[in-house]
Amino acid sequence: RGGGLKPDAISFSAAMSACEKGGKWNHALELLEEMRERGLKPDVTSCSAGISACEKGGRWGRALELLEEMRQRGLKPDVISCSAAISACEKGVKCERALELLEVKRERGLKPDAISFSAAMSACEKGGKWNHALELLEEPRERGLKPDVTSCSAGISACEKGGRWRRARELLPQIHQRGLQPAVNSRS
């Protein structure tokens, strides 16, 4: 603290990521605020770290606020910040908001990744919007992405909730064909 090195945006972002991994979302947000107090402008990386920390801490509302603050400050959310916000919506069972963010991602020319699709599907499945989850199951394939076990399991679970047992039976072999192990809950 004396006359030594002064933290910069990179060191703050790294510390925020450490807080996120340690489950200390509130500490990550304190660091984001400290950056501002020191006259450092949070960048996409530091804001994304804050969004991810909120997502891991189950603070979906705060994650979405940070995403909006990014836009207000002229920062363009990237794939990481958008995916973290969609994952936060999944944890908060905010299907409609997850779908909106997925659409915003597309409109901005950001290619949704498997994580985004899986999180949006899970949000829809948990929110009882099984039809939306099944629609999302097809899109990654159309975009050349390989569905992972999480998305396939969310699709199967959505089929269960929607009474679509035939579709669920069609999905199970796809998991095996891809060399994936079904999640325990996809077999129940």
Side-chain angles (χ1 to χ4, degrees):
R1 289 213 178 239
L5 299 174
K6 292 185 180 185
D8 60 7
I10 294 169
S11 55
F12 269 101
S13 295
M16 289 171 63
S17 290
C19 291
E20 173 231 325
K21 286 171 183 48
K24 303 294 184 189
W25 64 272
N26 53 334
H27 293 291
L29 294 184
E30 287 171 7
L31 288 170
L32 191 59
E33 186 56 36
E34 186 178 335
M35 275 183 80
R36 292 179 183 128
E37 289 170 1
R38 289 178 178 243
L40 295 170
K41 291 185 180 182
D43 58 8
V44 173
T45 303
S46 55
C47 289
S48 294
I51 293 168
S52 291
C54 290
E55 177 256 324
K56 297 286 187 301
R59 304 291 185 214
W60 66 270
R62 187 64 182 115
L64 296 180
E65 287 172 11
L66 284 174
L67 189 67
E68 185 55 33
E69 286 176 24
M70 284 179 72
R71 291 183 188 128
Q72 291 172 357
R73 294 176 188 271
L75 296 172
K76 292 184 180 181
D78 62 3
V79 172
I80 294 168
S81 50
C82 287
S83 293
I86 293 170
S87 292
C89 290
E90 179 244 337
K91 290 189 175 56
V93 191
K94 301 296 176 193
C95 170
E96 298 301 327
R97 193 65 179 115
L99 292 173
E100 287 172 18
L101 288 171
L102 201 57
E103 187 57 35
V104 165
K105 204 172 183 180
R106 290 181 193 114
E107 288 170 0
R108 293 189 177 192
L110 298 172
K111 294 180 181 177
D113 56 4
I115 294 167
S116 299
F117 281 112
S118 293
M121 283 179 58
S122 291
C124 292
E125 178 264 323
K126 290 175 182 175
K129 307 280 186 185
W130 58 269
N131 51 338
H132 292 303
L134 291 179
E135 288 172 16
L136 286 174
L137 187 61
E138 300 305 321
E139 193 171 338
R141 244 182 298 216
E142 293 167 3
R143 293 178 174 265
L145 297 171
K146 294 180 181 176
D148 61 8
V149 72
T150 305
S151 58
C152 289
S153 295
I156 290 170
S157 186
C159 289
E160 173 202 358
K161 289 190 172 139
R164 302 292 190 250
W165 62 270
R166 283 187 181 99
R167 183 68 176 118
R169 285 196 58 177
E170 292 169 5
L171 290 174
L172 202 53
Q174 291 178 23
I175 292 174
H176 292 293
Q177 288 169 357
R178 288 181 175 79
L180 303 170
Q181 292 297 315
V184 175
N185 65 350
S186 66
R187 295 185 218 164
S188 55

